[in-house]
Amino acid sequence: SLFGGEFDAQKAMKSRSAARLATQFGVPFDRKPTSMTVDMKYIPGPTYWNEDKVVQPTIIDEPDAYLVMYRNDEGLLDGYNVLTSPKIIGKARLKHNVNPDGSDCPGAHPIHGLTAEWKTVKLEMEYPNGDPDPEILKNMGYSLIIGFSSSWQGADFRGALDSQFYIDNIIIECEEAEE
């Protein structure tokens, strides 16, 4: 995994739940992101394991890439709420198989189209409840998360060992700041 934020390795070693809390995501940001473009290639590991260390032969591992903007007045997001917190105001994420309620659903056929060949992917930010407040932006009241993982469900201890996710040329496009 690669992300912007903080990680407490000693806390992470205590338990699975502590590991998710040991990861604190985001850095203060004063612009409105519109998209993230990144060159990617991906080779899934040969065997997908669930959180109970049981092989899931019909599931192919997938990578994850996301850009998240959230209100930071109550601290950083963690491994439990990095993609689901009600403080999130905008998000761009690599496409995945999801359940009707929006939760992650491992699939036999990843839908993002990544292969072992380089591909340029553009993820568009969505702001379902409207744009960021300009005053809050100016005062660094939002934080931005950039995250990449070779197993998109790795935080839930699901994935394939030896999955390889390569990224290069990350570009985050933003609207011009208001004066």
Side-chain angles (χ1 to χ4, degrees):
S1 292
L2 176 67
F3 67 94
E6 302 171 11
F7 181 71
D8 184 335
Q10 289 184 337
K11 182 189 267 187
M13 299 303 289
K14 293 180 181 175
S15 68
R16 285 184 177 185
S17 60
R20 292 184 89 169
L21 293 172
T23 309
Q24 301 284 297
F25 292 91
V27 293
F29 206 70
D30 66 351
R31 301 282 189 274
K32 176 189 172 191
T34 57
S35 66
M36 176 172 69
T37 304
V38 57
D39 295 336
M40 303 178 184
K41 67 179 181 175
Y42 185 70
I43 303 165
T47 306
Y48 186 95
W49 302 77
N50 71 10
E51 63 275 15
D52 297 320
K53 299 181 183 174
V54 176
V55 172
Q56 305 294 299
T58 61
I59 299 176
I60 299 169
D61 203 6
E62 300 181 53
D64 206 0
Y66 50 87
L67 189 64
V68 174
M69 180 169 249
Y70 69 93
R71 186 76 165 96
N72 63 19
D73 56 339
E74 296 175 14
L76 301 176
L77 299 185
D78 59 42
Y80 282 106
N81 62 7
V82 64
L83 296 167
T84 60
S85 171
K87 298 189 307 181
I88 294 172
I89 64 157
K91 186 185 327 181
R93 188 177 187 196
L94 195 61
K95 299 292 183 207
H96 295 288
N97 296 291
V98 293
N99 294 310
D101 67 0
S103 61
D104 293 347
C105 173
H109 304 288
I111 61 175
H112 47 64
L114 295 179
T115 67
E117 301 297 320
W118 285 103
K119 179 179 180 180
T120 301
V121 176
K122 185 170 188 173
L123 305 174
E124 301 284 344
M125 283 292 281
E126 295 178 7
Y127 294 92
N129 297 316
D131 290 342
D133 181 288
E135 283 301 309
I136 296 173
L137 271 176
K138 186 167 53 172
N139 292 308
M140 306 291 274
Y142 295 109
S143 285
L144 187 68
I145 300 168
I146 304 167
F148 299 96
S149 177
S150 63
S151 291
W152 79 302
Q153 295 183 318
D156 295 322
F157 301 94
R158 297 181 213 140
L161 296 177
D162 299 324
S163 290
Q164 300 170 41
F165 188 28
Y166 300 89
I167 57 173
D168 199 4
N169 302 318
I170 302 165
I171 300 170
I172 298 172
E173 295 182 25
C174 299
E175 287 185 356
E176 291 293 320
E178 294 184 16
E179 297 296 323

